[in-house]
Amino acid sequence: MNKTYPFEQSPLPYEADALEPYIDRQTVQVHYNGHYKSYVDNLNAALEKSPEYQNLTLEDILKKPNDIASEVRTPIVRNAGGVYNHMHYFNGMTKDGAEGPDPDSELAKGIDDFFDSFENFQKEFSAAAAGVFGSGYACLVASPQGWLQIMTFSNQDVLPISHGYVPLLTLDVWEHSYYLKYQNKRADYIAAWWKVINWQACEKAYKEVADKLKPFSFEDMMR
Ligand code: MN
């Protein structure tokens, strides 16, 4: 996959019907082939007109949006955000998701440390996702210090990355991600999403953050 212009969609890591009955085939198809693809196409169209930014990665664009000239910034940054958020959302799901992270993983330990228990984390995350006003995302993030927290953001903002945080688990709560099956019942969609989470991907992303901190005694800091 290209890391710079022209950007491509990250491949859908499962069949469109793999998340049934929790996330239905039609929603996955429209969301992936329609919405997500539009962000990629629109980002490439915006960059086509601004060759000076064609060597930037998504991370470059999103971490330093103010390095992009104001006249062309909005379409580039907004669509890069859409690409980035959708990549994380689709990669964060899998067929036959587990009930939660592997109990021996650093992620499971981190969740216990920062949210008291997995059940409590689930409750807090679901409430945060349900409470996003209008379109946006809920995200479990790791701070640069390895702390876990829940963040919500609107539209195609990318709060985590622009603040140095790493998104570990991203839930899209735009209506297009659930309306065909769940209509106005966002809470039902959120409850179903817990059944298809790719915990291995989430554990891996957290381990990468934790490993970077190891020289600074990550284990000690977690106590
Ligand atoms: Mn979406």
Side-chain angles (χ1 to χ4, degrees):
M1 228 179 93
N2 267 353
K3 286 200 175 300
T4 59
Y5 174 89
F7 288 96
E8 296 159 30
Q9 273 186 291
S10 57
L12 190 64
Y14 34 78
E15 298 296 321
D17 61 359
L19 310 179
E20 297 260 10
Y22 306 108
I23 317 272
D24 61 292
R25 180 182 54 81
Q26 195 187 7
T27 297
V28 170
Q29 284 174 334
V30 172
H31 199 177
Y32 180 85
N33 298 323
H35 297 274
Y36 179 11
K37 183 171 186 297
S38 299
Y39 286 108
V40 175
D41 291 346
N42 292 338
L43 174 60
N44 286 333
L47 286 170
E48 192 182 356
K49 290 179 254 164
S50 298
E52 66 274 36
Y53 302 122
Q54 289 178 359
N55 62 336
L56 298 179
T57 64
L58 282 181
E59 284 79 5
D60 294 334
I61 294 169
L62 298 173
K63 279 184 181 163
K64 293 186 174 177
N66 291 334
D67 286 0
I68 295 171
S70 57
E71 312 85 73
V72 295
R73 185 184 305 147
T74 301
I76 293 177
V77 172
R78 191 174 285 168
N79 288 298
V83 174
Y84 186 82
N85 288 330
H86 281 101
M87 175 177 76
H88 285 281
Y89 170 69
F90 283 107
N91 286 342
M93 296 185 288
T94 187
K95 187 179 172 67
D96 302 323
E99 287 293 306
D102 177 347
D104 293 328
S105 63
E106 295 194 61
L107 178 67
K109 289 172 204 155
I111 286 175
D112 281 347
D113 283 343
F114 289 99
F115 300 100
D116 294 329
S117 68
F118 180 71
E119 291 66 34
N120 193 50
F121 160 65
Q122 243 181 340
K123 213 165 77 183
E124 285 186 25
F125 191 101
S126 294
V132 172
F133 184 73
S135 299
Y137 293 83
C139 197
L140 173 68
V141 300
S143 78
Q145 298 80 17
W147 301 337
L148 290 176
Q149 77 183 69
I150 295 164
M151 250 182 203
T152 60
F153 41 100
S154 295
N155 302 321
Q156 297 303 353
D157 284 353
V158 281
L159 276 183
I161 186 168
S162 51
H163 288 71
Y165 289 69
V166 177
L168 305 175
L169 192 60
T170 299
L171 173 58
D172 189 339
V173 292
W174 283 60
E175 278 187 347
H176 65 232
S177 60
Y178 62 89
Y179 203 84
L180 289 175
K181 182 174 171 75
Y182 295 100
Q183 290 82 47
N184 59 323
K185 301 185 196 83
R186 186 193 285 181
D188 290 357
Y189 158 67
I190 296 168
W193 172 77
W194 288 105
K195 306 286 187 191
V196 292
I197 293 175
N198 185 349
W199 287 108
Q200 285 182 339
C202 190
E203 286 161 18
K204 188 166 167 272
Y206 187 52
K207 193 169 180 307
E208 278 167 21
V209 176
D211 284 350
K212 276 192 205 144
L213 294 166
K214 280 274 157 63
F216 308 103
S217 186
F218 183 71
E219 294 296 329
D220 288 347
M221 216 166 57
M222 298 290 284
R223 286 198 188 103

